[in-house]
Each structure stands twice: as C-alpha cells, then as structure tokens.
C-alpha cells in the first residue's frame, strides 16, 4: 500500500518491481494477486507492469466485494 498523499508518483510501481525482481532472484517467476475491481489506481499499476486478469472473484477482497485475480508470469 502507498500512502494516499504519495500516490501517483511511481512509488507503488517501483516497490512492486523491486519485489518482483527480488523474488525472481529467489526462483519465483509467477505472481498472483487479488485486487478490488473498484481500485482503479492499483489496477492501472498492475496492468502497466504486465499482470492480466485471470478470474473474477467475490468475497476475497471483503464480504460482498468483487475483485480480480491477476497473474504475472515473467517466464514468458
């Protein structure tokens, strides 16, 4: 999560990319996450990095909430 006052400045993208790189150095190449369908800022960041929506889910991101399961496979 990025403090709302700091959002839109690339901090979330940089943090996520550093995490992906670190995990890649440790043999992790496929990443899954869940994001609320209403969280447009996070969806934008994830899509920009290359995550794709693989499933529409309910109640994972909160009771009665819709979310997406997203996946990034860096071996492709």
């Amino acid at each position: 999560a990025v403090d709302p006052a700091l959002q839109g400045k690339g901090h979330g993208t940089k943090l996520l990319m550093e995490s992906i790189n670190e995990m890649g150095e440790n043999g992790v190449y496929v990443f899954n996450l869940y994001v609320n369908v209403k969280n447009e800022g996070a969806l934008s960041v994830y899509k920009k990095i290359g995550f794709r929506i693989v499933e529409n889910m309910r109640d994972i991101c909160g009771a009665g909430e819709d979310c997406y399961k997203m996946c990034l496979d860096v071996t492709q």
Side-chain angles (χ1 to χ4, degrees):
V2 176
D3 186 295
L6 299 173
Q7 291 177 357
K9 299 178 180 177
H11 299 297
T13 301
K14 184 174 180 179
L15 179 63
L16 185 55
M17 289 303 301
E18 289 293 328
S19 297
I20 290 169
N21 289 336
E22 177 77 21
M23 287 186 277
E25 291 174 4
N26 289 289
V28 179
Y29 305 107
V30 179
F31 308 93
N32 293 295
L33 59 83
Y34 298 94
V35 60
N36 192 300
V37 299
K38 299 174 190 171
N39 192 341
E40 295 176 12
L43 283 167
S44 176
V45 169
Y46 299 144
K47 288 179 180 178
K48 179 170 60 172
I49 288 173
F51 279 85
R52 60 185 176 79
I53 297 170
V54 295
E55 193 172 352
N56 201 350
M57 317 243 351
R58 188 158 184 85
D59 297 325
I60 298 293
C61 300
E65 294 288 327
D66 291 321
C67 65
Y68 296 126
K69 178 179 180 181
M70 300 184 79
C71 180
L72 174 67
D73 184 342
V74 297
T75 63
Q76 298 179 0

